[in-house]
Amino acid sequence: MTIKHTDIFIVGAGPVGLLCAYLAELSGLKTIIIDKSKGPLEVGRADALNARTLQLLEVADLFKELYPLGLPCNTSSVWQNGEFISRQSSWWNELEGCFHKHFLMLGQAYVEKLLDKKLSSIGASVLRKTTIENIQATPNSCISRLSNGDIITSDYVIGADGSRSFIRNHFNIPFEITRPQIVWAVIDAVFETDFKRVPEIIVFQSETSDVAWIPREGNIDRFYIRMDRKDFTMEEAMERINIAMTPHTISIKELVWFSQFSVKESVAETFLIDNRIILAGDACHIHSVNGGQGLNTGLADAFNLIWKLKMIKHYGANKNLLLSYESERKPVALSVIQSSGELVRSTKFSDTGTHAKDYVKIVEKRAGNITGMGIRYGNSGLTGTRVYDITIKQGKTSTRLYSLLNYTKFTLLYFGNEKIDLELPEYIQLIQIHSSKLNMEYWTNDNSYKNQAIIVRPDSYIASVSASSEVHTLLSAFIEKYSKIEHSISIS
């Protein structure tokens, strides 16, 4: 038996657990992460990163490696009887302060493999083929016993161990599941068809909108097929696709992945146990895949959580800062269930018989969730909103604001031409942005934040704002009180 100590012990090396470990190590927190699997995911599961996730990946220096691997997609179309009916993308085109107005269609395996490689390169590899057998929370630490006999003591435990979470079940956290009796088949493959392959999501209108074609990276595509029973074969699923695509036909040239899933919806009663044990991702919220929100919501959990643990551990922030993780993320999870639930039910129930059109209208209505860009922490003003990704220039060179942000620090954005002299704690970086070209200083002609001072959280939401002339007062109040702010959330 070996006893090891770490800052954060993470159970589950799916994308959420891996991202928690990566962000923690980036932030100077030591981690141990375990998983029962033998390696990162190879095929299947989630298939899209939304616009907000792409912004967050930029802040964590992951964007450049992932983005070229995927397929941008921001259009949904409806087809019926082999005929084009309509095409929509307005909810993407209308986004403000966003450069990547689309999904990046990219399999979950790519995210897991990149994060796994990053952790291995810094000596924080996942302990594979290992499970947790017991966990105890004490006033000062958490004590976990592993299947290999090792004991892990840690300041915090993150349960990112999926919908059947050992952590959640061990502490008897209520997780009441709703099952709307909707069963889907999912097929990833290289297909042969006389229907022109296009980089957009296609919903086929029939008696129900039970078939959706999802473009993917490389030469593969995905089909979702509503079956409403568990005893079906892949051949039966393909038959249903061909019915929906009539008069066109389609067949599988090379199968990559075939699976089925029953729609389940739930949010854990609490995400925190004794302010030391934390649930993230599917361990605390599950829902339909419709709208592509599962992976994106889980990754956003990680971005919201880790900087708060860093501030408590390294800078003595009020421990109640951790409470804001649940108060901010639980309402998001509930809103995701509402939006994905409305979408999945529309595939089966329609008063007018226009299932596919109904589906696309719901996408437009729920675009704040689906794009990720409508989520905010706070109910009014700029505080709690995502900071816009605006064009920033330095001399004649153009860059974007998000390329200047850093997940390991808060950022004080000072929009003004006056020279300022500030003493900043090491966890805040200063970026001054002038309103006109000045030597090699940063400047912009974007007026979104003209003459304002803005403190941006590590997860790129606005923590506090004032007129630029009041920057000293803003900074003093923030340093003293930021961890005590009461948080609320709304979705626009």
Side-chain angles (χ1 to χ4, degrees):
M1 179 186 74
T2 302
I3 299 177
K4 303 176 182 177
H5 179 76
T6 191
D7 295 322
I8 307 174
F9 174 47
I10 301 169
V11 182
V16 177
L18 289 167
L19 182 62
C20 283
Y22 170 76
L23 294 176
E25 295 284 343
L26 201 66
S27 302
L29 297 168
K30 301 311 295 180
T31 66
I32 294 175
I33 178 171
I34 67 167
D35 197 86
K36 62 184 179 182
S37 68
K38 64 180 181 180
L41 188 71
E42 292 292 335
V43 295
R45 300 190 187 174
D47 56 16
L49 303 174
N50 68 20
R52 183 57 179 162
T53 298
L54 294 177
Q55 288 187 327
L56 293 170
L57 292 175
E58 181 106 42
V59 174
D61 200 25
L62 295 167
F63 177 87
K64 290 180 181 178
E65 290 175 83
L66 281 174
Y67 191 79
L69 304 175
L71 174 71
C73 174
N74 74 344
T75 305
S76 298
S77 62
V78 177
W79 289 69
Q80 183 175 16
N81 299 323
E83 298 292 331
F84 168 78
I85 304 298
S86 63
R87 179 172 285 113
Q88 299 80 18
S89 62
S90 60
W91 48 85
W92 291 104
N93 299 332
E94 294 167 3
L95 290 175
E96 294 183 280
C98 173
F99 278 82
H100 304 288
K101 300 181 179 184
H102 52 254
F103 278 122
L104 184 70
M105 311 309 294
L106 184 68
Q108 177 178 323
Y110 289 92
V111 178
E112 290 195 20
K113 288 177 180 178
L114 175 61
L115 290 169
D116 186 79
K117 183 179 76 171
K118 294 278 190 184
L119 290 172
S120 296
S121 69
I122 57 174
S125 299
V126 179
L127 185 58
R128 298 281 181 182
K129 298 182 181 179
T130 305
T131 58
I132 183 171
E133 293 190 343
N134 190 47
I135 181 172
Q136 177 185 359
T138 74
N140 299 314
S141 67
C142 302
I143 304 170
S144 306
R145 188 179 73 245
L146 308 186
S147 57
N148 62 7
D150 287 352
I151 301 293
I152 307 294
T153 65
S154 59
D155 295 324
Y156 299 97
V157 170
I158 297 176
D161 49 343
S163 60
R164 295 184 177 89
S165 171
F166 173 91
I167 303 295
R168 189 190 65 240
N169 291 328
H170 181 78
F171 288 97
N172 297 312
I173 305 302
F175 194 65
E176 186 175 344
I177 296 177
T178 299
R179 303 175 188 270
Q181 302 303 312
I182 299 176
V183 181
W184 291 79
V186 55
I187 302 174
D188 288 347
V190 179
F191 292 95
E192 289 185 331
T193 179
D194 58 351
F195 190 105
K196 184 178 179 180
R197 185 175 186 258
V198 291
E200 59 188 54
I201 297 168
I202 300 175
V203 181
F204 293 95
Q205 175 68 51
S206 55
E207 292 182 3
T208 63
S209 87
D210 53 12
V211 173
W213 184 348
I214 312 296
R216 286 282 299 278
E217 73 282 353
N219 60 350
I220 68 170
D221 289 276
R222 168 170 289 188
F223 275 91
Y224 288 111
I225 313 100
R226 213 193 73 238
M227 303 300 291
D228 289 350
R229 57 188 174 91
K230 293 185 177 180
D231 56 337
F232 61 83
T233 65
M234 188 171 65
E235 288 73 22
E236 288 172 320
M238 286 300 301
E239 180 181 0
R240 196 148 189 170
I241 295 174
N242 274 284
I243 291 171
M245 292 180 63
T246 302
H248 299 282
T249 62
I250 191 167
S251 61
I252 294 174
K253 180 179 180 181
E254 179 184 344
L255 179 66
V256 176
W257 187 60
F258 169 63
S259 187
Q260 67 168 257
F261 61 90
S262 301
V263 175
K264 297 181 285 290
E265 301 165 335
S266 186
V267 174
E269 185 174 283
T270 182
F271 293 7
L272 299 170
I273 303 117
D274 297 329
N275 250 20
R276 287 197 177 276
I277 298 167
I278 308 149
L279 301 177
D282 287 355
C284 53
H285 45 74
I286 57 172
H287 47 82
S288 165
V289 301
N290 295 73
Q293 297 170 81
L295 173 62
N296 294 287
T297 303
L299 295 179
D301 288 348
F303 277 102
N304 183 286
L305 172 62
I306 297 301
W307 69 264
K308 296 175 180 178
L309 298 182
K310 174 191 174 180
M311 292 302 298
I312 294 169
K313 176 73 175 176
H314 285 172
Y315 298 105
N318 190 311
K319 292 182 179 180
N320 287 334
L321 175 62
L322 186 55
L323 299 178
S324 69
Y325 168 68
E326 179 173 319
S327 67
E328 291 180 345
R329 296 306 299 166
K330 187 173 181 179
V332 173
L334 291 168
S335 72
V336 167
I337 281 186
Q338 291 175 353
S339 58
S340 63
E342 187 175 3
L343 283 169
V344 74
R345 285 165 177 80
S346 75
T347 68
K348 190 172 184 178
F349 307 106
S350 172
D351 293 336
T352 59
T354 55
H355 298 75
K357 288 184 178 180
D358 296 350
Y359 189 95
V360 173
K361 287 180 181 178
I362 295 168
V363 169
E364 184 171 9
K365 181 177 73 172
R366 299 286 188 174
N369 274 114
I370 293 168
T371 66
M373 304 300 264
I375 292 171
R376 57 171 292 157
Y377 305 128
N379 292 319
S380 62
L382 286 178
T383 300
T385 62
R386 59 180 174 87
V387 68
Y388 281 4
D389 194 4
I390 61 177
T391 298
I392 304 294
K393 298 181 181 181
Q394 189 176 32
K396 296 181 179 179
T397 303
S398 291
T399 185
R400 301 193 323 278
L401 179 59
Y402 271 64
S403 68
L404 305 178
L405 301 180
N406 181 339
Y407 185 77
T408 68
K409 294 179 181 291
F410 287 84
T411 300
L412 172 56
L413 298 174
Y414 182 85
F415 289 87
N417 298 323
E418 299 80 8
K419 186 176 181 180
I420 55 172
D421 183 20
L422 297 170
E423 279 192 35
L424 297 174
E426 65 176 356
Y427 59 83
I428 301 179
Q429 67 170 349
L430 170 65
I431 299 177
Q432 180 170 4
I433 302 172
H434 298 264
S435 60
S436 58
K437 185 177 178 181
L438 179 66
N439 298 325
M440 291 303 293
E441 303 294 329
Y442 291 124
W443 65 281
T444 185
N445 52 19
D446 188 298
N447 292 322
S448 298
Y449 304 120
K450 187 175 181 179
N451 296 325
Q452 290 182 305
I454 298 173
I455 299 177
V456 181
R457 300 176 0 170
D459 59 356
S460 65
Y461 285 92
I462 294 175
S464 194
V465 61
S466 76
S468 56
S469 59
E470 300 295 326
V471 64
H472 290 85
T473 303
L474 172 77
L475 185 61
S476 296
F478 169 77
I479 292 173
E480 181 181 356
K481 298 180 179 179
Y482 84 92
S483 63
K484 300 177 183 178
I485 293 173
E486 293 183 3
H487 297 272
S488 60
I489 187 165
S490 65
I491 309 294
S492 60

